């Protein structure tokens, strides 16, 4: 599982011409699901996303999580995060889970985020052509890979 998290002051997604999700202060999370991801990867990733201290406290130090600030989450499925670019100029997406595997994992990911205290998770539409708008706050952008935790 690979994610790109962006600290945002606002973000929204339009799928097939319809606004499907919008948030104010919080995180835009782009989620790539690997064909071999497990429940353990999901739990680890959700913990990282919700507990990552990337919001400023009263002393302007990044000491607060999205949970601490009662921020919002906009979750977007993005298989292109798992692109392999080692050979040639056309990315390969063989590592990305096919929809039959990825959709249930994506839906379970949303359920688990809600269970961790984020009842109002905003999302795009899995597999749709989406337009995402955001105001990256900082900017703060972090890539996390459950297969290569550092």
């Amino acid at each position: 599982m690979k994610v790109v998290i962006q600290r945002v002051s606002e973000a929204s997604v339009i799928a097939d011409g319809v606004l499907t999700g919008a948030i104010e202060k919080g995180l835009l999370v782009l989620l790539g699901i690997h064909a071999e991801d497990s429940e353990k990867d999901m739990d680890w990733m959700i913990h990282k996303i919700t507990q990552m201290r990337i919001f400023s406290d009263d002393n302007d130090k990044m000491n607060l999580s999205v949970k601490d600030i009662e921020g919002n989450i906009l979750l977007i499925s993005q298989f292109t995060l798992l692109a392999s670019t080692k050979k040639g100029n056309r990315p390969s997406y063989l590592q990305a889970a096919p929809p039959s595997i990825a959709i249930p994992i994506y839906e379970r990911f949303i359920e688990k985020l809600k269970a961790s205290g984020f009842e109002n998770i905003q999302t795009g539409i899995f597999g749709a052509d989406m337009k995402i708008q955001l105001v990256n706050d900082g900017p703060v952008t972090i890539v996390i890979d459950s297969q290569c935790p550092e």
Side-chain angles (χ1 to χ4, degrees), residues 11-117:
S12 62
V13 59
I14 295 173
D16 299 325
V18 177
L19 179 70
T20 63
I23 64 168
E24 292 183 1
K25 187 174 185 174
L27 296 175
L28 168 62
V29 179
L30 304 175
L31 172 66
I33 300 169
H34 191 279
E36 297 177 11
D37 282 333
S38 67
E39 193 85 8
K40 183 178 175 183
D41 292 300
M42 190 182 321
D43 292 340
W44 183 87
M45 188 64 77
I46 288 170
H47 179 78
K48 279 293 185 188
I49 291 167
T50 60
Q51 301 302 316
M52 179 88 40
R53 297 185 313 167
I54 59 173
F55 291 88
S56 297
D57 63 15
D58 292 336
N59 296 317
D60 206 28
K61 299 288 183 196
M62 287 200 295
N63 279 326
L64 302 175
S65 70
V66 68
K67 190 172 244 182
D68 294 332
I69 67 156
E70 298 179 359
N72 301 292
I73 295 177
L74 173 57
L75 180 68
I76 306 293
S77 175
Q78 188 168 351
F79 75 94
T80 60
L81 291 177
L82 295 163
S84 175
T85 58
K86 290 191 182 233
K87 291 184 179 180
N89 294 318
R90 181 178 300 197
S92 167
Y93 303 105
L94 294 176
Q95 295 181 21
S100 62
I101 294 172
I103 291 171
I105 292 173
Y106 176 71
E107 291 171 350
R108 180 88 173 117
F109 199 93
I110 294 167
E111 289 172 15
K112 285 187 165 229
L113 272 174
K114 288 179 179 180
S116 73

Side-chain angles (χ1 to χ4, degrees), residues 121-133:
I121 301 295
Q122 298 290 298
T123 66
I125 296 175
F126 189 96
D129 180 42
M130 294 177 274
K131 309 297 183 220
I132 300 168
Q133 295 181 334

